[in-house]
Amino acid sequence: MDVEKVFHMNGGLGDNSYAQNSSLQKKASDMVKHITLKTLEETYISTTPKSLGIADLGCSSGQNTLSNIRDMVETIDKTTGKLPNTRPPEFRIHLNDLPTNDFNATFKILPDFHQALNHQRRHRSPNHDSSVYIAGYPGTFYGRLFPDKCLHFIYSSYSLHWLSKVPPGLYDKNGKSINKGSLYISESSSPQVSKAYFDQFQEDFSMFLRSRSKELLGGGRMVLILLGRRDRSHVDRGNSFLWELLSRSFATLVSQGEVKQEQVDGYDSHFYAPSRDELEEEVKKDGCFNMELFEMFEIERNSGAYMSHGTAVARTVRAIQESMISHHFGEEILDNLFENYGKLIDEEMGIEDIKPISFITVLRKL
């Protein structure tokens, strides 16, 4: 399966869209927003460019992306107001995601966004005359996207745990998966499965760092937010356990005759939750960045009145994984699959909390 041609968040504004089911990601980015904005402010103060280049890698579609832009523009406007003889810069903001992403959903709301943003800026500073330019850059960030030294700040939220492809090491010489019955690394997986995922992570993340080191100016920074794991073990009651529950949901469909076991055995995720040590080692090997900050955090459980936590997680995962699952299995299984998944999560949460963790790290270009 060609991930670059198939994988995308659910577009539009419907019930199963990413725009309607990304509140958990928004909650997480808001938890560390103070770090993101402080890093942007420090980067701007140290360079004070007349034209500030910002890229959002893995931007997806919907209001989350534009909310981040609004916060960034507001932060820089306030900062320049404190600096003597300094006017706000123009903003060059590049929204990046895979070509299959629903960029149109974002572009359709850009006129209203621009109007509201400019109104707010004039209210804060009637004499401001800088502009905000927003463009889409479709393509994989596991490779070059932008010209040399054109960016000051890069932001990526909940994207870098997605690999460029399903690890080739998961398949034997006959093209059969060696990780039968599991979608990701599980207790039943062999050491070769863990190695296959780790090897693909190393290849992808090293390419990501090499590419960004050419596109960032000296002193430029990256804020990266991604899912991770606590220690060397690949199996825990966190991100890997959520994949295990999705595997169990597929097993239920197999028992009901809705899918064949061979289909499930042939489906593997293109996901990897690295440890802190693994991230640090790749940054060290690359040699172009200094890791200025690294923090681990947990997203608080959803406590909405209209749906259970399991349902909220299931809808979030569906908005992310539907394109891949429907391509392999067909669309007709989706409703039952994710209904089962939500129930399993709620059942397990009643026994013991599931605690997926996230990382935020700040890298400065040397």
Side-chain angles (χ1 to χ4, degrees):
M1 186 185 304
D2 189 335
V3 169
E4 190 171 342
K5 292 182 179 179
V6 177
F7 182 53
H8 60 85
M9 309 296 107
N10 281 353
L13 298 172
D15 289 343
N16 294 319
S17 68
Y18 183 82
Q20 298 293 336
N21 295 285
S22 52
S23 61
L24 292 175
Q25 293 91 325
K26 179 68 165 63
K27 182 185 294 186
S29 62
D30 282 349
M31 288 174 64
V32 293
K33 182 167 65 174
H34 62 289
I35 295 175
T36 300
L37 298 180
K38 180 182 178 182
T39 303
L40 173 63
E41 181 180 31
E42 290 174 349
T43 303
Y44 174 72
I45 290 174
S46 66
T47 56
T48 58
K50 293 184 178 179
S51 181
L52 182 62
I54 298 173
D56 183 342
L57 306 185
C59 65
S60 191
S61 61
Q63 290 291 346
N64 283 4
T65 295
L66 299 185
S67 175
N68 292 331
I69 293 173
R70 182 184 297 107
D71 291 338
M72 291 179 185
V73 171
E74 180 178 340
T75 294
I76 297 303
D77 281 350
K78 289 181 178 179
T79 300
T80 55
K82 301 173 186 176
L83 300 176
N85 303 317
T86 305
R87 300 183 67 83
E90 70 174 13
F91 293 83
R92 293 176 286 109
I93 297 175
H94 312 287
L95 304 181
N96 159 259
D97 213 313
L98 293 174
T100 47
N101 182 55
D102 187 4
F103 285 99
N104 282 339
T106 299
F107 294 156
K108 284 178 180 178
I109 56 179
L110 270 182
D112 289 342
F113 170 78
H114 265 126
Q115 184 178 14
L117 181 64
N118 287 329
H119 176 76
Q120 292 169 359
R121 299 183 77 199
R122 282 192 295 269
H123 179 74
R124 289 194 301 266
S125 177
N127 296 322
H128 95 81
D129 57 2
S130 68
S131 298
V132 178
Y133 301 100
I134 302 174
Y137 266 69
T140 176
F141 48 54
Y142 293 123
R144 289 295 300 273
L145 287 166
F146 309 104
D148 286 354
K149 299 179 180 179
C150 70
L151 297 174
H152 300 87
F153 185 77
I154 290 174
Y155 176 76
S156 181
S157 181
Y158 289 98
S159 297
L160 277 164
H161 42 252
W162 297 112
L163 301 172
S164 66
K165 57 186 174 184
V166 176
L170 292 177
Y171 302 97
D172 62 21
K173 61 182 180 180
N174 297 316
K176 300 294 185 180
S177 175
I178 63 173
N179 196 30
K180 297 184 185 300
S182 296
L183 307 182
Y184 182 55
I185 306 168
S186 67
E187 290 183 351
S188 63
S189 299
S190 67
Q192 291 93 324
V193 170
S194 297
K195 184 179 185 301
Y197 274 102
F198 178 57
D199 288 348
Q200 190 60 52
F201 160 76
Q202 285 185 305
E203 177 183 322
D204 284 347
F205 196 61
S206 63
M207 173 60 75
F208 177 86
L209 293 175
R210 287 200 302 274
S211 300
R212 305 295 83 78
S213 69
K214 293 179 173 64
E215 296 162 354
L216 273 169
L217 289 150
R221 288 176 172 86
M222 295 197 290
V223 171
L224 309 178
I225 305 169
L226 67 158
L227 295 173
R229 66 182 200 276
R230 288 177 172 80
D231 50 42
R232 299 171 69 91
S233 174
H234 286 90
V235 180
D236 60 11
R237 199 172 174 86
N239 293 304
S240 67
F241 190 67
L242 289 174
W243 283 104
E244 171 65 24
L245 292 181
L246 189 57
S247 297
R248 292 186 199 174
S249 301
F250 272 110
T252 299
L253 296 189
V254 172
S255 69
Q256 295 171 345
E258 293 193 39
V259 297
K260 295 181 179 179
Q261 184 62 53
E262 292 78 11
Q263 288 179 287
V264 179
D265 290 342
Y267 186 78
D268 296 285
S269 67
H270 66 292
F271 171 90
Y272 186 74
S275 67
R276 174 174 183 164
D277 288 346
E278 289 169 352
L279 285 168
E280 288 181 334
E281 181 62 26
E282 292 307 311
V283 173
K284 182 179 179 181
K285 284 195 298 186
D286 178 78
C288 292
F289 294 93
N290 177 47
M291 186 176 285
E292 293 189 324
L293 177 144
F294 187 100
E295 291 187 8
M296 180 178 74
F297 65 98
E298 296 178 8
I299 307 174
E300 296 177 1
R301 185 192 299 198
N302 184 291
S303 57
Y306 301 105
M307 67 179 73
S308 69
H309 179 70
T311 300
V313 172
R315 292 185 63 166
T316 298
V317 173
R318 177 172 180 169
I320 297 169
Q321 281 289 293
E322 182 170 313
S323 63
M324 299 290 285
I325 292 174
S326 62
H327 180 82
H328 186 83
F329 295 95
E331 298 179 357
E332 60 275 5
I333 72 165
L334 292 169
D335 289 343
N336 283 346
L337 175 69
F338 286 102
E339 182 178 351
N340 293 337
Y341 186 48
K343 290 178 180 178
L344 282 175
I345 294 173
D346 283 332
E347 289 173 6
E348 287 292 339
M349 293 289 282
I351 300 171
E352 183 184 350
D353 205 2
I354 303 172
K355 296 184 177 180
I357 65 161
S358 299
F359 297 146
I360 180 169
T361 185
V362 176
L363 306 181
R364 180 175 61 85
K365 170 75 181 301
L366 297 174

